[in-house]
Amino acid sequence: MAQVTADGRKSRFDPHWRGLNMAVPVAMLVYAATAAVLCRATGHAADFRLDVYLGPFYVSYLLYGVIIGGALLVRRLLRRDGKHLLWFSRTWPVEEFAARLLSALPFLLMWPIFMSGFTSMKNLLNDTVPFTWDRALMTLGTLLHFGRPLWQWLAIDSPPVTLGLEFVYAFWGVLLVAVPFAVCLRHPACPKRARFLVSHVLVLVLLGNVAAGLFMSAGPFWLQFNGDHHNPYAALFDYLSRTDPDGSFSAVTYQHYLWLAHLHRTAWFGTGISAFPSVHVALAMLYVLFGWQFGRLARIASILFLIAIMIGSVHLGWHYALDGYAGMAGAAAIYFGVGWAQRRLSRAAPDSPLAARPIPA
């Protein structure tokens, strides 16, 4: 497939289906296969569902491709082909967009399969590891905030604000697909692309599975649904229930879904309960770190999103404050750790796609 260069010439496009650009998708596939084997070996084969995310993710890819391709056609008609577009230094011709999609194909095909493995590991942890850290995390968080849980300091008593936080928290699921899709469209040899994608996978594996298994906790809604007699979150859930009494769109509705899925050992979309560390907050932090390079607008938008996710995680009864703090710290450690590896590789193996050297976006 040919691509158009900056001076208008055509050259054969290299999709870079080798090195790290293939190693990461292969590792994702191996991780999903490992989850399947572990589920079967421990007698919990039903915890693994390969088909959970395939349809939603692939349909989303098609939608995003049509939207971006249409936008590129419009920009060509308006003769704005060479102009800056979002976090890309220039707008591509449609032919180059198709080439970028080809480069992204290995990662994008594996992404929903990897997510099935991630969810399966969460379900398996729920079935094999007891929730023993809730009380400690709640107590430590209360001590950290001068004897009161963070949700009491927030003191949000406004249904419109709560609904707004509900929407932002749900929109995180859209970004889970959209952000990796957009980053994959960067040049396949771009180290910033590799750094984000590797960090994204490691956040889910190391924080969402490994750390979650070591500090198994369910979050405040667990205390509520278990009828805990010493529940400092009872007033919060009373407020949340009154905010959306018909259960049409609320965190409490989805929490009931997770609770019932856990009771009935049902493995499906987004199931598996774990609170520490917060993957929602961790990925929002990753967006801040990655978006910092794209100027003031990206910085402001990503920081506001992080703040909303952090507040929402506590106010909506999903997490203790420490879950969010650990998520931010863990994501930062992973992102800067991958950056450190890039710098080392740039000296030891300059041709590595993870090496930190200037490459067009």
Side-chain angles (χ1 to χ4, degrees):
M1 180 178 291
Q3 68 170 344
V4 180
T5 61
D7 58 5
R9 295 179 301 168
K10 289 187 177 181
S11 64
R12 184 166 183 80
F13 180 79
D14 181 2
H16 286 261
W17 282 7
R18 59 184 179 275
L20 192 71
N21 290 315
M22 288 302 295
V24 173
V26 169
M28 294 161 67
L29 179 60
V30 170
Y31 192 77
T34 301
V37 170
L38 287 175
C39 288
R40 181 172 293 275
T42 56
H44 298 89
D47 283 340
F48 183 80
R49 295 290 301 270
L50 180 63
D51 59 335
V52 173
Y53 299 102
L54 294 179
F57 276 52
Y58 292 156
V59 170
S60 297
Y61 295 161
L62 178 62
L63 176 62
Y64 300 152
V66 169
I67 291 173
I68 296 175
L72 292 175
L73 286 173
V74 170
R75 289 174 74 90
R76 170 174 284 187
L77 293 174
L78 296 176
R79 300 182 183 277
R80 296 178 60 86
D81 278 0
K83 302 295 184 180
H84 176 84
L85 177 64
L86 298 177
W87 51 83
F88 301 102
S89 58
R90 61 186 175 84
T91 305
W92 315 302
V94 176
E95 297 83 358
E96 185 172 350
F97 173 58
R100 296 292 182 103
L101 283 175
L102 182 63
S103 296
L105 198 59
F107 185 93
L108 295 180
L109 287 176
M110 288 301 106
W111 188 230
I113 295 174
F114 168 80
M115 286 303 301
S116 293
F118 170 74
T119 297
S120 299
M121 288 299 292
K122 290 185 65 176
N123 288 317
L124 181 60
L125 288 170
N126 282 190
D127 289 340
T128 57
V129 181
F131 294 98
T132 57
W133 279 86
D134 280 88
R135 188 64 62 182
L137 292 171
M138 180 178 63
T139 301
L140 288 173
T142 300
L143 291 174
L144 186 63
H145 294 94
F146 308 102
R148 298 172 63 190
L150 181 57
W151 74 267
Q152 293 183 2
W153 287 107
L154 294 173
I156 297 174
D157 189 14
S158 171
V161 172
T162 299
L163 185 61
L165 291 171
E166 301 266 17
F167 176 82
V168 173
Y169 212 77
F171 188 69
W172 179 93
V174 176
L175 296 183
L176 181 68
V177 185
V179 173
F181 179 88
V183 174
C184 278
L185 296 181
R186 295 176 66 83
H187 194 283
C190 177
K192 295 175 182 178
R193 174 187 189 268
R195 185 180 186 181
F196 176 84
L197 295 178
V198 171
S199 298
H200 204 298
V201 170
L202 289 178
V203 162
L204 292 172
V205 174
L206 298 181
L207 302 185
N209 286 159
V210 177
L214 292 174
F215 301 93
M216 200 63 185
S217 58
F221 83 93
W222 182 268
L223 303 175
Q224 179 70 13
F225 290 176
N226 266 321
D228 196 297
H229 295 298
H230 179 60
N231 181 9
Y233 292 84
L236 172 63
F237 281 96
D238 181 62
Y239 162 77
L240 293 173
S241 298
R242 286 186 283 106
T243 300
D244 186 26
D246 60 353
S248 58
F249 178 74
S250 70
V252 175
T253 300
Y254 189 64
Q255 287 159 2
H256 275 285
Y257 161 75
L258 289 184
W259 175 251
L260 290 175
H262 175 72
L263 291 180
H264 297 292
R265 298 293 191 267
T266 301
W268 195 237
F269 198 96
T271 55
I273 299 171
S274 64
F276 182 94
S278 170
V279 171
H280 269 73
V281 175
L283 288 184
M285 181 66 178
L286 190 62
Y287 300 157
V288 172
L289 296 170
F290 181 72
W292 203 260
Q293 63 191 297
F294 299 114
R296 179 180 299 178
L297 182 59
R299 294 173 185 176
I300 293 174
S302 59
I303 289 173
L304 289 177
F305 181 72
L306 172 61
I307 292 172
I309 291 295
M310 179 64 204
I311 292 175
S313 70
V314 173
H315 172 65
L316 300 176
W318 286 110
H319 290 282
Y320 312 109
L322 282 181
D323 301 340
Y325 301 153
M328 284 188 277
I334 289 170
Y335 187 75
F336 290 118
V338 173
W340 174 83
Q342 284 184 307
R343 291 189 294 274
R344 291 293 299 269
L345 283 172
S346 65
R347 294 192 292 268
D351 292 333
S352 168
L354 190 61
R357 66 191 187 282
I359 293 291

